């Protein structure tokens, strides 16, 4: 009888860029001459696309 294969558990390391899946970024406001606002807005982390999990845990 063949041996059973065991699954390797993947460890979920936090994303090195955001830790939680969201980042805050500044944004530009105004008409023609856009100026950076003092306020911040939440956005998805582009490294992990909002999951908060490191996409490359072996590196």
């Amino acid at each position: 009888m063949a041996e059973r294969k065991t699954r390797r558990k993947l460890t979920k390391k936090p994303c090195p860029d955001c830790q939680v899946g969201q980042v805050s970024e500044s944004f530009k406001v105004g008409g023609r001459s856009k100026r950076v606002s003092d306020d911040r807005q939440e956005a998805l982390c582009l490294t992990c696309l909002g999951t908060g999990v490191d996409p490359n845990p072996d590196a």
Side-chain angles (χ1 to χ4, degrees):
M1 201 155 136
E3 290 184 31
R4 287 186 97 171
K5 293 183 180 178
T6 58
R7 288 189 180 181
R8 183 177 58 151
K9 290 188 177 183
L10 298 176
T11 58
K12 292 185 179 182
K13 295 182 182 177
C15 176
D17 294 338
C18 67
Q19 305 296 323
V20 292
Q22 288 187 341
V23 294
S24 62
E25 59 183 22
S26 61
F27 57 94
K28 295 184 178 184
V29 295
R32 289 182 174 218
S33 60
K34 302 275 187 194
R35 63 186 184 280
V36 177
S37 173
D38 292 336
D39 297 326
R40 309 286 284 176
Q41 67 183 7
E42 293 292 316
L44 290 178
C45 173
L46 294 180
T47 304
C48 67
L49 292 177
T51 62
V53 178
D54 189 1
N56 197 359
D58 296 331

XYZ file of all heavy atoms in Angstrom:
447
model
N 0.832 -1.172 0.000
C 0.000 0.000 0.000
C 0.884 1.245 0.000
O 1.899 1.291 0.689
C -0.876 -0.019 1.247
C -2.070 0.824 1.111
S -3.307 0.162 2.234
C -3.869 1.638 2.923
N 0.479 2.249 -0.755
C 1.268 3.481 -0.878
C 1.104 4.355 0.363
O 0.059 4.351 1.021
C 0.838 4.250 -2.107
N 2.151 5.083 0.679
C 2.084 5.990 1.827
C 1.232 7.206 1.479
O 1.190 7.634 0.337
C 3.486 6.466 2.198
C 4.349 5.385 2.785
C 5.693 5.955 3.210
O 5.739 7.134 3.588
O 6.679 5.221 3.157
N 0.568 7.734 2.470
C -0.239 8.939 2.259
C 0.649 10.157 2.211
O 1.601 10.281 2.975
C -1.237 9.119 3.396
C -2.362 8.141 3.351
C -3.344 8.489 4.393
N -4.398 9.276 3.753
C -5.520 9.603 4.343
N -5.736 9.260 5.583
N -6.431 10.288 3.713
N 0.317 11.039 1.320
C 1.050 12.299 1.244
C 0.462 13.266 2.255
O -0.756 13.355 2.412
C 0.940 12.897 -0.156
C 1.644 12.083 -1.204
C 1.562 12.769 -2.534
C 2.269 11.959 -3.588
N 2.164 12.595 -4.916
N 1.318 13.952 2.950
C 0.848 14.937 3.917
C 0.969 16.316 3.301
O 1.894 16.607 2.550
C 1.666 14.879 5.215
O 3.025 15.098 4.904
C 1.501 13.543 5.897
N 0.026 17.147 3.605
C 0.049 18.512 3.091
C 0.902 19.392 3.976
O 0.893 19.268 5.195
C -1.359 19.100 3.057
C -2.204 18.515 1.989
C -3.482 19.282 1.885
N -4.319 18.718 0.847
C -5.479 19.195 0.516
N -5.967 20.236 1.154
N -6.177 18.637 -0.438
N 1.632 20.249 3.337
C 2.459 21.208 4.058
C 1.602 22.421 4.387
O 0.921 22.965 3.522
C 3.639 21.622 3.178
C 4.591 22.558 3.833
C 5.744 22.835 2.925
N 5.251 23.388 1.667
C 5.930 24.220 0.902
N 7.143 24.556 1.236
N 5.421 24.688 -0.209
N 1.581 22.827 5.627
C 0.801 23.989 6.027
C 1.526 25.262 5.608
O 2.718 25.405 5.838
C 0.571 24.007 7.529
C -0.373 22.941 7.995
C -0.708 23.127 9.449
C -1.717 22.094 9.877
N -2.116 22.273 11.255
N 0.775 26.159 4.986
C 1.339 27.436 4.586
C 1.244 28.412 5.745
O 0.205 28.516 6.399
C 0.581 27.992 3.374
C 0.645 27.146 2.104
C -0.236 27.780 1.035
C 2.062 27.017 1.615
N 2.310 29.096 5.995
C 2.289 30.092 7.060
C 1.871 31.421 6.474
O 2.295 31.793 5.390
C 3.675 30.233 7.706
O 4.608 30.580 6.696
C 4.099 28.937 8.359
N 1.021 32.117 7.176
C 0.541 33.413 6.711
C 1.344 34.508 7.384
O 1.092 34.862 8.527
C -0.941 33.571 7.022
C -1.817 32.639 6.224
C -3.268 32.924 6.481
C -4.138 32.017 5.656
N -5.554 32.298 5.855
N 2.340 35.003 6.683
C 3.147 36.098 7.197
C 2.502 37.413 6.786
O 1.945 37.519 5.695
C 4.557 36.027 6.627
C 5.320 34.806 7.073
C 6.711 34.822 6.508
C 7.465 33.571 6.917
N 8.795 33.530 6.328
N 2.575 38.432 7.621
C 2.004 39.714 7.235
C 2.766 40.315 6.058
O 3.955 40.098 5.892
C 2.140 40.586 8.475
C 2.836 39.787 9.492
C 3.090 38.430 8.963
N 2.048 41.054 5.261
C 2.636 41.722 4.103
C 3.719 42.696 4.588
O 3.493 43.460 5.525
C 1.558 42.471 3.339
S 2.166 43.419 1.945
N 4.907 42.705 3.968
C 5.971 43.595 4.419
C 5.682 45.068 4.172
O 6.238 45.929 4.839
C 7.192 43.135 3.619
C 6.628 42.450 2.433
C 5.329 41.851 2.866
N 4.784 45.368 3.243
C 4.499 46.761 2.927
C 3.400 47.361 3.799
O 3.486 48.505 4.235
C 4.095 46.910 1.458
C 5.232 46.580 0.519
O 6.401 46.652 0.950
O 4.957 46.249 -0.650
N 2.331 46.587 4.057
C 1.170 47.191 4.716
C 0.792 46.545 6.049
O 0.134 47.170 6.858
C -0.028 47.105 3.785
S -0.594 45.420 3.503
N 1.112 45.294 6.272
C 0.792 44.522 7.471
C -0.688 44.138 7.582
O -1.006 43.142 8.182
C 1.202 45.256 8.761
C 2.653 45.664 8.810
C 3.603 44.481 8.820
O 3.321 43.471 9.430
N 4.707 44.615 8.135
N -1.630 44.920 7.031
C -3.048 44.623 7.226
C -3.867 44.573 5.944
O -5.012 44.161 5.974
C -3.705 45.656 8.173
C -3.169 45.527 9.569
C -3.541 47.057 7.650
N -3.334 44.997 4.814
C -4.094 44.962 3.566
C -4.505 46.322 3.052
O -4.957 46.433 1.925
N -4.388 47.343 3.882
C -4.754 48.688 3.448
C -3.615 49.648 3.739
O -2.894 49.510 4.715
C -5.998 49.186 4.167
C -7.256 48.498 3.729
C -8.474 49.143 4.349
O -8.383 49.849 5.341
N -9.616 48.892 3.758
N -3.479 50.618 2.857
C -2.498 51.682 3.037
C -3.235 53.006 2.940
O -4.315 53.089 2.370
C -1.385 51.618 1.964
C -0.548 50.373 2.122
C -1.951 51.688 0.572
N -2.682 54.047 3.518
C -3.276 55.369 3.355
C -2.370 56.181 2.444
O -1.149 56.111 2.528
C -3.457 56.066 4.701
O -2.213 56.266 5.315
N -2.989 56.905 1.537
C -2.228 57.682 0.567
C -2.847 59.058 0.407
O -4.024 59.265 0.696
C -2.166 56.957 -0.771
C -3.505 56.680 -1.372
C -3.415 55.888 -2.663
O -2.413 55.207 -2.884
O -4.361 55.975 -3.446
N -2.033 59.992 -0.036
C -2.544 61.331 -0.267
C -3.182 61.383 -1.649
O -2.982 60.500 -2.480
C -1.407 62.352 -0.170
O -0.438 62.084 -1.154
N -3.966 62.412 -1.895
C -4.604 62.556 -3.192
C -4.588 64.018 -3.596
O -4.387 64.908 -2.777
C -6.030 61.999 -3.181
C -6.917 62.615 -2.144
C -7.739 63.678 -2.438
C -6.924 62.112 -0.852
C -8.558 64.237 -1.478
C -7.738 62.660 0.115
C -8.561 63.725 -0.203
N -4.776 64.259 -4.886
C -4.706 65.610 -5.416
C -6.103 66.158 -5.634
O -7.013 65.438 -6.034
C -3.923 65.616 -6.730
C -2.478 65.227 -6.539
C -1.714 65.325 -7.818
C -0.251 64.964 -7.565
N 0.555 65.123 -8.758
N -6.274 67.457 -5.348
C -7.558 68.120 -5.527
C -7.334 69.409 -6.301
O -6.226 69.924 -6.384
C -8.224 68.441 -4.166
C -8.584 67.188 -3.424
C -7.329 69.310 -3.311
N -8.404 69.921 -6.858
C -8.320 71.196 -7.546
C -8.638 71.073 -9.024
O -8.841 69.993 -9.558
N -8.648 72.229 -9.692
C -8.961 72.285 -11.110
C -7.785 71.894 -11.970
O -7.380 70.738 -12.025
N -7.212 72.863 -12.630
C -6.086 72.568 -13.530
C -4.790 72.317 -12.780
O -4.047 71.411 -13.102
C -5.881 73.722 -14.500
C -6.968 73.811 -15.512
C -6.675 74.941 -16.464
N -7.650 74.925 -17.516
C -7.369 75.190 -18.762
N -6.143 75.501 -19.106
N -8.305 75.167 -19.659
N -4.520 73.151 -11.832
C -3.267 72.968 -11.072
C -3.569 72.141 -9.832
O -3.897 72.664 -8.783
C -2.681 74.324 -10.686
O -3.595 75.038 -9.892
N -3.467 70.853 -9.985
C -3.770 69.938 -8.877
C -2.778 70.157 -7.743
O -1.592 70.334 -7.954
C -3.673 68.490 -9.341
C -4.586 68.136 -10.484
C -5.928 67.762 -9.972
C -6.768 67.254 -11.141
N -8.139 67.165 -10.844
N -3.286 70.147 -6.531
C -2.422 70.276 -5.362
C -2.713 69.106 -4.425
O -3.828 68.599 -4.376
C -2.628 71.610 -4.668
C -4.012 71.814 -4.108
C -4.205 73.234 -3.561
N -5.496 73.363 -2.961
C -6.637 73.567 -3.622
N -6.622 73.648 -4.934
N -7.772 73.669 -2.981
N -1.705 68.694 -3.702
C -1.837 67.560 -2.794
C -2.604 68.006 -1.557
O -2.270 69.019 -0.932
C -0.448 67.007 -2.409
C -0.591 65.889 -1.406
C 0.272 66.522 -3.648
N -3.635 67.257 -1.205
C -4.445 67.561 -0.032
C -3.718 67.107 1.229
O -2.900 66.198 1.200
C -5.788 66.849 -0.142
O -6.521 66.983 1.039
N -4.033 67.742 2.348
C -3.470 67.329 3.631
C -4.144 66.053 4.143
O -3.608 65.369 5.005
C -3.630 68.428 4.673
C -2.779 69.639 4.345
O -1.776 69.475 3.624
O -3.122 70.745 4.801
N -5.327 65.750 3.613
C -6.070 64.574 4.052
C -5.495 63.315 3.410
O -4.757 63.365 2.446
C -7.546 64.714 3.672
C -8.191 65.897 4.377
O -7.808 66.180 5.517
O -9.070 66.528 3.777
N -5.854 62.175 3.989
C -5.397 60.879 3.479
C -6.627 60.017 3.191
O -7.675 60.199 3.803
C -4.519 60.169 4.506
C -3.377 60.980 5.082
C -2.251 61.185 4.159
N -1.468 59.962 4.069
C -0.439 59.828 3.263
N -0.067 60.809 2.507
N 0.222 58.712 3.207
N -6.494 59.081 2.273
C -7.579 58.146 2.006
C -7.043 56.723 2.030
O -5.872 56.483 1.767
C -8.246 58.438 0.667
C -7.377 58.192 -0.537
C -8.082 58.564 -1.830
O -9.175 59.128 -1.802
N -7.476 58.254 -2.950
N -7.919 55.778 2.377
C -7.539 54.374 2.437
C -7.568 53.776 1.035
O -8.422 54.096 0.232
C -8.494 53.598 3.335
C -8.413 53.989 4.800
C -7.101 53.596 5.433
O -6.635 52.478 5.196
O -6.545 54.419 6.171
N -6.619 52.895 0.763
C -6.551 52.213 -0.522
C -6.050 50.788 -0.295
O -5.441 50.487 0.725
C -5.611 52.953 -1.462
N -6.316 49.913 -1.248
C -5.810 48.539 -1.168
C -4.317 48.532 -1.420
O -3.814 49.266 -2.258
C -6.490 47.649 -2.198
C -7.944 47.311 -1.973
C -8.462 46.468 -3.131
C -8.134 46.572 -0.680
N -3.620 47.686 -0.713
C -2.189 47.511 -0.925
C -1.990 46.810 -2.262
O -2.595 45.774 -2.515
C -1.591 46.682 0.205
S 0.123 46.236 -0.051
N -1.153 47.354 -3.134
C -0.946 46.752 -4.446
C -0.034 45.534 -4.387
O -0.014 44.730 -5.308
C -0.385 47.790 -5.412
C -1.338 48.938 -5.733
C -0.686 49.905 -6.703
C -2.631 48.418 -6.302
N 0.720 45.377 -3.307
C 1.576 44.197 -3.183
C 0.742 42.956 -2.904
O 0.903 41.922 -3.535
C 2.602 44.388 -2.064
O 3.345 45.574 -2.322
C 3.536 43.211 -1.968
N -0.172 43.043 -1.953
C -0.963 41.876 -1.571
C -2.419 41.990 -2.019
O -3.213 41.086 -1.756
C -0.892 41.668 -0.067
S -1.684 42.974 0.882
N -2.811 43.083 -2.678
C -4.167 43.335 -3.160
C -5.212 43.220 -2.059
O -6.278 42.665 -2.239
C -4.508 42.427 -4.329
C -3.718 42.711 -5.587
C -4.064 41.704 -6.669
C -3.940 44.113 -6.086
N -4.875 43.740 -0.878
C -5.843 43.850 0.196
C -6.005 42.642 1.090
O -6.805 42.672 2.003
N -5.255 41.569 0.868
C -5.431 40.395 1.723
C -4.664 40.523 3.020
O -5.042 39.928 4.022
C -4.965 39.119 1.004
O -3.580 39.248 0.714
C -5.733 38.872 -0.261
N -3.564 41.271 3.010
C -2.741 41.399 4.204
C -1.767 40.246 4.381
O -1.039 40.184 5.348
N -1.755 39.288 3.424
C -0.875 38.121 3.501
C 0.288 38.319 2.533
O 0.115 38.750 1.412
C -1.661 36.835 3.130
C -0.758 35.627 3.163
C -2.808 36.647 4.094
N 1.468 37.983 2.986
C 2.664 38.106 2.169
C 2.534 37.227 0.920
O 2.360 36.023 1.027
C 3.890 37.681 2.981
C 5.200 37.965 2.297
O 5.182 38.527 1.181
O 6.240 37.636 2.876
N 2.614 37.798 -0.289
C 2.451 37.008 -1.493
C 3.622 36.071 -1.775
O 3.506 35.148 -2.564
C 2.315 38.050 -2.596
C 3.016 39.235 -2.067
C 2.819 39.196 -0.586
N 4.766 36.296 -1.137
C 5.948 35.482 -1.369
C 6.540 35.078 -0.019
O 7.571 35.587 0.385
C 6.953 36.277 -2.200
C 7.997 35.397 -2.824
O 7.997 34.209 -2.633
N 8.903 36.009 -3.549
N 5.899 34.141 0.714
C 6.341 33.837 2.071
C 7.693 33.128 2.141
O 8.334 33.129 3.185
C 5.248 32.931 2.617
C 4.622 32.332 1.423
C 4.754 33.351 0.319
N 8.151 32.516 1.053
C 9.421 31.804 1.082
C 10.623 32.708 0.901
O 11.747 32.295 1.163
C 9.441 30.710 0.004
C 8.392 29.649 0.284
O 8.078 29.431 1.471
O 7.899 29.045 -0.678
N 10.396 33.929 0.441
C 11.522 34.831 0.181
C 12.002 35.520 1.421
O 11.474 35.564 2.439
C 11.128 35.875 -0.844
